[in-house]
Amino acid sequence: KRAAIDLFCSSCHLGVEFDDEDNLLECKCCHRVFHANCYERHHARTEGIHAPDPDDPSPWFHSNSCKKVHTHLCKQAGAGSQPLRPAASRSAWPW
């Protein structure tokens, strides 16, 4: 049996049981975990994204924002090495 890990549904904030992983959704960008029923009840309508089909291997994102971030990061990673921007000078910091 797996060791207990304290994870909570990002919607109802109740604990998540790994024994019930068929009813769990994990966003592939931010890694938030949801009970499938909680996501459908509270988020699917506002985000326009529904719980994935269990047989669909494509990544699932809980929001359009996460999908945009993931798409951008994949494009950046595919572009190869890129120079880093210079750090802001200390005098530009407000504190």
Side-chain angles (χ1 to χ4, degrees):
K1 189 169 181 168
R2 291 184 180 180
I5 299 174
D6 290 332
L7 284 179
F8 299 88
C9 173
S10 292
S11 185
C12 72
H13 307 289
L14 294 177
V16 168
E17 297 291 331
F18 282 105
D19 297 345
D20 194 23
E21 62 186 52
D22 290 340
N23 279 325
L24 297 179
L25 303 174
E26 179 183 1
C27 179
K28 297 303 179 197
C29 182
C30 68
H31 300 286
R32 288 182 181 173
V33 176
F34 297 87
H35 294 112
N37 291 337
C38 290
Y39 184 82
E40 283 295 323
R41 190 173 352 167
H42 300 288
H43 303 283
R45 190 177 324 131
T46 57
E47 290 294 335
I49 300 170
H50 294 278
D53 180 329
D55 297 326
D56 184 357
S58 60
W60 178 79
F61 304 99
H62 90 279
S63 69
N64 290 315
S65 295
C66 276
K67 187 173 186 175
K68 286 178 186 176
V69 166
H70 186 267
T71 300
H72 177 74
L73 290 175
C74 285
K75 284 181 185 175
Q76 290 294 102
S81 297
Q82 298 177 16
L84 294 175
R85 294 181 188 155
S89 67
R90 281 199 170 268
S91 62
W93 294 358
W95 54 92

